[in-house]
Amino acid sequence: MADFQSIIDDIHQQIIAQKNYGEVAGYIPELSDIDPEKFGVSLITVNGVCYQAGDSQDLFSLQSIVKVLLLSMAYTRLGGRLWQRVGVEPSGTPFNSLGTLEYDQGIPRNPFSNAGAIVVCDVLLDLYENPRQALLDMVRRLADDDTIQYDPAVAASEKAEGYRNVALANFVRSLGNIHNDVDAVLALYFDCCSIAINTEQLCRLFLVFANNGQTLDEHYQLLNVSQTKRMNAIMLTCGFYDEAGDFAYQVGLPGKSGVGGGIVAVLPGHFSIAVWSPRLNEKGNSFRGLQFLEQFTTKTQLSIF
Ligand code: GLN
């Protein structure tokens, strides 16, 4: 195995020296208070060895990364029937796009767009008596960490300003693909996005996707091997919206980003890696996060390709 610690330290130091790149997400007011220079990295292997650099213990907002977990909750209960409500095709559109919804008759192209994740939240309201608790239980169990919490201030801030998501949800509802009260669906979506996490916890959480759907201690099988393959395929093709092709090209790992500045990626059978830096590029993905991962897979020659 490569000397992960020195490679991570080298890339971290090199990237941190560069200034003037990207902007912190401002459309969720609470997120704009974060120190834009924060930069943390964690990597955990399927043997349980952990490597860290920088602000790996600082909490940030999970945001769209939670869409992978929401999808897992719906997929494990419904299996392939879920694909009647949301597709698995890359959209080539921004995360908050209304773009193809009318043409697609309210079936979002994939579950990692906002529209897709909002439909998944509608599904979860039907499947789980208390989906917020079920999500938190799952996150804490996968990350083996009972301290992980929702951040009510971030959720309230997005609820107050989330006009685009309100429009998306109402539009999908008008096309018949949301069945519950729109406000209840959106409240669930905003709450789920608000989970506070650090890169080490995020790595632990996503190790399941590098480990055939199972926690390292083998006590919890979230997904079977085939379902894990499919989740990783959706992350690879849809995890970065209209930058998914570029991420596959530059980095070559299944992964997911969020506007909190986090990115998590996995090399199945080997490791999960999480990077957090709040400044985003114009596609809403962490600027330094992308740079870091591109250099990491290039230097180590470890990617799915
Ligand atoms: N909560 C955010 C939103 O709906 C999530 C977007 C993201 O992280 N890309 O806008």
Side-chain angles (χ1 to χ4, degrees):
M1 264 293 176
D3 178 2
F4 285 141
Q5 190 62 54
S6 66
I7 293 172
I8 287 172
D9 286 338
D10 283 355
I11 304 172
H12 186 268
Q13 273 175 23
Q14 187 204 320
I15 292 178
I16 212 165
Q18 300 167 14
K19 300 281 175 219
N20 298 327
Y21 49 84
E23 299 291 338
V24 174
Y27 76 99
I28 303 174
E30 194 72 16
L31 293 186
S32 54
D33 287 344
I34 202 89
D35 175 356
E37 305 310 326
K38 291 284 182 184
F39 186 19
V41 183
S42 299
L43 182 152
I44 306 182
T45 68
V46 294
N47 302 320
V49 186
C50 181
Y51 304 88
Q52 322 250 22
D55 303 309
S56 62
Q57 302 305 306
D58 288 32
L59 296 177
F60 61 93
S61 194
L62 190 57
Q63 292 301 315
S64 278
I65 297 170
V66 82
K67 293 170 179 173
V68 181
L69 308 166
L70 298 175
L71 178 64
S72 301
M73 286 171 69
Y75 186 39
T76 50
R77 288 271 175 107
L78 285 187
R81 279 184 295 148
L82 180 60
W83 311 133
Q84 294 166 5
R85 303 282 305 275
V86 61
V88 293
E89 286 299 331
S91 66
T93 56
F95 64 88
N96 58 4
S97 173
L98 282 138
T100 59
L101 278 173
E102 185 164 31
Y103 174 82
D104 294 332
Q105 298 180 324
I107 312 291
R109 293 240 165 131
N110 70 67
F112 296 159
S113 64
N114 285 9
I118 289 168
V119 167
V120 170
C121 283
D122 184 59
V123 170
L124 294 177
L125 280 173
D126 290 334
L127 290 177
Y128 291 82
E129 204 169 317
N130 188 343
R132 286 170 184 77
Q133 192 58 48
L135 172 67
L136 197 59
D137 289 347
M138 184 183 97
V139 164
R140 288 175 170 181
R141 192 166 187 185
L142 291 174
D144 193 19
D145 189 332
D146 284 344
T147 67
I148 298 174
Q149 296 279 5
Y150 290 106
D151 184 334
V154 170
S157 172
E158 192 172 8
K159 273 173 205 161
E161 301 276 331
Y163 302 111
R164 176 67 82 109
N165 288 319
V166 172
L168 276 169
N170 279 291
F171 193 43
V172 174
R173 165 109 205 186
S174 78
L175 292 164
N177 196 22
I178 283 182
H179 306 151
N180 292 284
D181 174 65
V182 168
D183 289 339
V185 176
L186 283 168
L188 176 61
Y189 172 72
F190 292 141
D191 286 345
C192 294
C193 287
S194 79
I195 287 177
I197 203 144
N198 64 37
T199 56
E200 183 182 343
Q201 291 166 331
L202 184 54
C203 263
R204 292 198 191 283
L205 185 52
F206 270 68
L207 260 177
V208 75
F209 299 103
N211 194 45
N212 285 325
Q214 202 173 51
T215 52
L216 293 193
D217 60 14
E218 298 181 3
H219 290 149
Y220 185 41
Q221 184 91 41
L222 175 70
L223 302 156
N224 65 34
V225 172
S226 160
Q227 290 170 329
T228 309
K229 174 190 81 175
R230 297 183 201 287
M231 293 295 303
N232 284 334
I234 305 171
M235 279 195 257
L236 183 76
T237 53
C238 309
F240 298 82
Y241 324 111
D242 45 343
E243 203 165 30
D246 205 46
F247 190 81
Y249 175 78
Q250 304 276 358
V251 177
L253 297 174
K256 187 73 200 81
S257 63
V259 291
I263 298 181
V264 61
V266 297
L267 182 60
H270 294 267
F271 59 75
S272 61
I273 182 165
V275 188
W276 169 55
S277 169
R279 289 183 189 263
L280 310 177
N281 68 13
E282 69 286 357
K283 311 273 190 188
N285 298 319
S286 171
F287 193 98
R288 280 174 162 172
L290 292 173
Q291 268 191 322
F292 185 94
L293 290 168
E294 189 278 324
Q295 288 196 34
F296 180 80
T297 56
T298 303
K299 286 201 169 128
T300 58
Q301 301 190 343
L302 290 171
S303 83
I304 63 165
F305 302 110

